[in-house]
Amino acid sequence: MGDTRAKKSGLSADIQKKLNAKYSEEQERQCRQWIEAVTGETLIDQEIGMNHFNKCLKDGTVLCKLINTLNGEALVKKINTSSMAFKQMENISSFLDACKVFGLKDGDCFQTPDLYENQNMSQVLGTIFAVSTVSISKHGWEGPSIGVKIADENKREFDEETIAAGKAILTGQTGWNKGETQAGMNMGKTRKVVDM
């Protein structure tokens, strides 16, 4: 965690341990290799580990360059190179805004403190994987990628004959009863609140 935060205790410490346990060094390796391949730049810290990866991404410049490269044109117009905290957080925030324009959903994106204060690096990894997925699925990126491709729509058109044949299937076998009920069936004594 960052130097500016007090040490967590109690429930907060337990939650932080769980968040840290979700972190995957194998996913980090994949993200590192992918970021370097896409941007053409070597990350500043080559050691594997959550804190080392955080050090590489903390100022937000690498992430801004990544999203600009994948989009083809700059989604992040101004990348701050200042070492001041608010400028670095502004870079991260600009990257997150660009991610939403790029096609990521809110749930795919980490929050600024997750990266800047090293609070939830597993969510940062998830966002990087989501950026790759959206780049190949929605933007046609043909370069290196990680993660999976989103399935394409496969809309089907059926003619009237096929639809009629489908309606002829016994409805009880397909799990739909077309309004049929068990009304009138009696299996033993009915249940009453007061038994007289």
Side-chain angles (χ1 to χ4, degrees):
M1 290 197 301
D3 312 0
T4 58
R5 283 198 166 259
K7 186 172 172 22
K8 292 184 177 184
S9 62
L11 182 61
S12 295
D14 292 342
I15 291 171
Q16 190 62 50
K17 282 180 191 173
K18 286 184 180 182
L19 290 174
N20 291 345
K22 287 182 179 180
Y23 190 79
S24 166
E25 290 186 352
E26 179 53 38
Q27 287 182 339
E28 178 193 332
R29 278 187 193 87
Q30 292 175 15
C31 288
R32 282 175 174 275
Q33 291 169 354
W34 181 67
I35 290 169
E36 289 178 348
V38 170
T39 62
E41 297 179 13
T42 304
L43 297 177
I44 58 170
D45 190 344
Q46 289 297 309
E47 262 188 83
I48 298 294
M50 181 169 46
N51 295 329
H52 297 289
F53 195 47
N54 175 267
K55 184 178 175 184
C56 296
L57 304 179
K58 185 175 181 175
D59 67 359
T61 57
V62 171
L63 295 174
C64 291
K65 289 175 186 175
L66 175 70
I67 198 83
N68 284 346
T69 302
L70 291 170
N71 192 51
E73 61 183 61
L75 285 173
V76 179
K77 304 289 186 211
K78 183 174 187 313
I79 301 174
N80 299 306
T81 55
S82 173
S83 61
M84 295 192 312
F86 74 93
K87 289 293 187 183
Q88 293 178 346
M89 286 190 276
E90 189 177 295
N91 281 344
I92 296 169
S93 182
S94 296
F95 166 75
L96 294 172
D97 291 341
C99 283
K100 291 171 188 163
V101 171
F102 195 62
L104 270 71
K105 297 182 175 90
D106 286 338
D108 293 333
C109 297
F110 62 87
Q111 296 178 355
T112 303
D114 292 341
L115 173 59
Y116 191 78
E117 296 176 1
N118 202 6
Q119 295 292 310
N120 190 354
M121 286 300 290
S122 60
Q123 184 67 31
V124 174
L125 291 176
T127 299
I128 294 170
F129 269 84
V131 167
S132 175
T133 297
V134 169
S135 71
I136 43 181
S137 300
K138 293 186 178 179
H139 296 276
W141 173 256
E142 294 179 0
S145 65
I146 54 177
V148 295
K149 182 181 182 293
I150 298 172
D152 295 326
E153 183 181 25
N154 188 6
K155 193 171 184 177
R156 295 179 172 98
E157 300 284 334
F158 296 107
D159 59 9
E160 291 299 321
E161 184 180 323
T162 306
I163 292 172
K167 288 180 181 177
I169 296 173
L170 296 176
T171 59
Q173 293 178 348
T174 59
W176 182 59
N177 62 12
K178 207 172 193 177
E180 300 163 0
T181 67
Q182 291 184 333
M185 291 184 69
N186 187 2
M187 298 184 69
K189 187 176 179 182
T190 59
R191 182 171 182 212
K192 296 182 180 178
V193 176
V194 179
D195 201 9
M196 293 186 191

